[in-house]
Amino acid sequence: MSRAEAMKPRGFGQTQRRDLWWVEPLAILLGLSGYIVYATWAAFQGQFYHWGPYLSPFYSPEIFGDSPHSWFGPKPAWWPAWLLFSPAFLILWAPGGFRFTCYYYRGSYYKAFWADPPGCAVGEPRKSYWGERSFPLIIQNIHRYFLYVAVIFIFFLAIDVWKALWFTDVQTGVTSFGIGVGTLVLALNVIMLGGYTFGCHSMRHFSGGGKDQLSKATFGLKGYNCVSCLNRNHMRWAWGSLFWVAFTDVYVRLVAMGIWTDWRIF
Amino acid sequence: MSSATFQLWRGSGADGKYTTYTTDYQEGMVVLDVIHKIQAEQAPNLAVRWNCKAGKCGSCSAEINGKPRLMCMTRMNEIPVESPVTIEPMRAFPWIRDLVTDVSWNYRVKKQIKKFKPRPPDNPDGTWSMSQEDVDRVQEFRKCIECFLCQDVCHVLREHNLHEEFVGPRFFVYVAALEMHPLDTENRLEELVTAKGIGYCNITKCCTKVCPENITITDNAIIPLKERVVDEYYDPLKRLFRMFRSK
């Protein structure tokens, strides 16, 4: 073998690495694919997304819909009859866009779905490469705008937790304070999503990273350090929140279907 | 005393091939020790670049079992020896001979980056005043030993050979150290987008994973620079804000 040939890029998947480098991109491929399939299925259901004071995060905020959580009542009259309706369709673009343009997920799915590269120091399937400097991936720079919307969503999800503390007795109609397992599930969902959203790289930039003098950071040095602290574990927050938001939907769905019972703790 | 078999990439010019060597090693030895042992006992003409043997000069970069690593910082008990251990030169740079590559492209790139340009001195004696927290952030970037392992593992250079359009993670770290310096007044964002090709980086974090100095290259240098570029070129609200502020 001549050296000139050896210095050429290796073929797809070729490497001298001995470790199980393919496990991580495969796990990401399966994890994200599974999530996309489940979220799409759940969004299309349009039912069993609320129970008592609980509202699934896939449907929150419910702008139009049939549940008591709806802001403006049922499906609007102007909605085209030929177009399937679900309250989730109106809002899921925001968290979906936030995750799709997230710096962590970008690096992950470029590897897992596009093999660009499949792993560090592993041969790629294509010779051409554009990166994020031209269309379509230059659109990833919109990430900060999705962050703005995501922060607002955290606020609405926190309100959902507050609402999940007030249970109405079906027989008497009296509303009283209480904590159910569902309340804790919804609360943990806000904590996980908050850890992910407030540790975002764009948030770190806004909190002071964009300034040359951190002592004059927008949120103060402590604020910047707090965001940086969350950012150091951004990957964990990303996966934790992804799993938990799906589980929260599963929980509300199964309780609404009568398969699971929501135990009252308090 | 244990024994291991190594496959070293050997040759020069257009001809190269793996050559197999079997040698003994003792507890505590690093890969560079074994390479020196092979050089002393079996292959006196083996070319290998090294200097400090302490992970501070960045000379002995190579690919050990396919992973870019410093040979002097890779202990023998860290690598599997059941099958032959492959040692190759870095693949992102022109090969000279055996384990040695020509990394001079990096030095040419560095010269093209706008130099440090401090603001006028704060004090009459020609000195500046800075808060400790303002300089702490760039200290991380100064740990770089220029081993170029991050350049070697970066697929933009290694697989796509875009050396003319993309400067690589090492120089994003260098630019970040200058751009985030509390005294610096130079603006390097335009050249980051154009000549330095920061848009080519797709955030795989491979550079961070191989850095022997544990510099968080992607999260602390490249992404913050990308965000500054977005501020300047891709954020319409920021542009509007700047327009009104300048009036």
Side-chain angles (χ1 to χ4, degrees), chain A residues 1-11 14-19 24 101-104 106-108 110-111 114-117 119-134 137-138 140-145 148 201-206 208-217 221 224 228 231-232 234-235, chain B residues 7 9 12-18 63-68 80 83-86 88-95 101 119 129 131 133-134 137 153 155-156 158-160 162 165 179-184 193-194 197-207 209-210 218-220 223-224 226-228 230-231 234-238:
Chain A
M1 189 200 308
S2 74
R3 185 57 195 174
E5 285 174 8
M7 289 304 286
K8 284 179 184 172
R10 289 190 165 112
Q14 291 182 346
T15 180
Q16 289 289 350
R17 285 179 63 172
R18 306 284 170 79
D19 58 334
E24 186 183 331
T101 57
C102 163
Y103 285 101
Y104 163 69
R106 274 147 70 178
S108 297
Y110 290 146
K111 280 184 186 170
W114 200 241
D116 216 359
C120 301
V122 179
E124 296 182 18
R126 288 169 296 275
K127 288 182 180 173
S128 64
Y129 179 73
W130 301 336
E132 296 185 335
R133 69 197 306 263
S134 56
L137 295 181
I138 199 168
Q140 303 279 29
N141 290 312
I142 202 172
H143 182 55
R144 57 181 56 181
Y145 285 91
Y148 303 149
H201 290 87
S202 290
M203 181 65 84
R204 193 177 183 217
H205 177 73
F206 293 131
K211 292 183 183 293
D212 292 341
Q213 291 173 285
L214 285 178
S215 55
K216 295 176 181 171
L221 185 62
Y224 171 78
S228 297
N231 182 260
R232 276 192 285 278
H234 199 46
M235 181 187 75
Chain B
Q7 288 188 321
W9 188 262
S12 64
D15 295 320
K17 62 179 182 180
Y18 287 111
E63 298 192 6
I64 302 168
N65 278 347
K67 281 188 177 179
S83 53
V85 178
T86 62
E88 299 171 289
M90 292 191 284
R91 296 179 66 87
F93 306 112
W95 180 56
T101 50
R119 66 178 184 236
S129 302
S131 301
E133 53 263 33
D134 291 341
R137 175 169 55 171
V153 82
H155 73 125
V156 182
R158 177 191 185 90
E159 298 289 323
H160 300 289
L162 290 168
E165 300 165 63
E179 276 293 301
M180 296 177 193
H181 196 289
L183 297 186
D184 184 68
V193 177
T194 55
I198 195 167
Y200 276 117
C201 170
N202 67 343
I203 328 158
T204 62
K205 298 197 178 186
C206 294
C207 49
K209 287 175 186 164
V210 302
T218 315
D219 291 304
N220 289 351
I223 293 176
K226 274 180 172 265
E227 282 293 310
R228 288 179 182 220
V230 175
D231 273 352
Y234 303 118
D235 187 337
L237 283 181
K238 279 265 180 183

Side-chain angles (χ1 to χ4, degrees), chain B residues 37-52:
Chain B
K37 194 164 183 291
I38 291 171
Q39 193 181 43
E41 297 172 355
Q42 303 178 53
N45 61 347
L46 173 66
V48 55
R49 184 182 284 132
W50 66 282
N51 194 353
C52 74

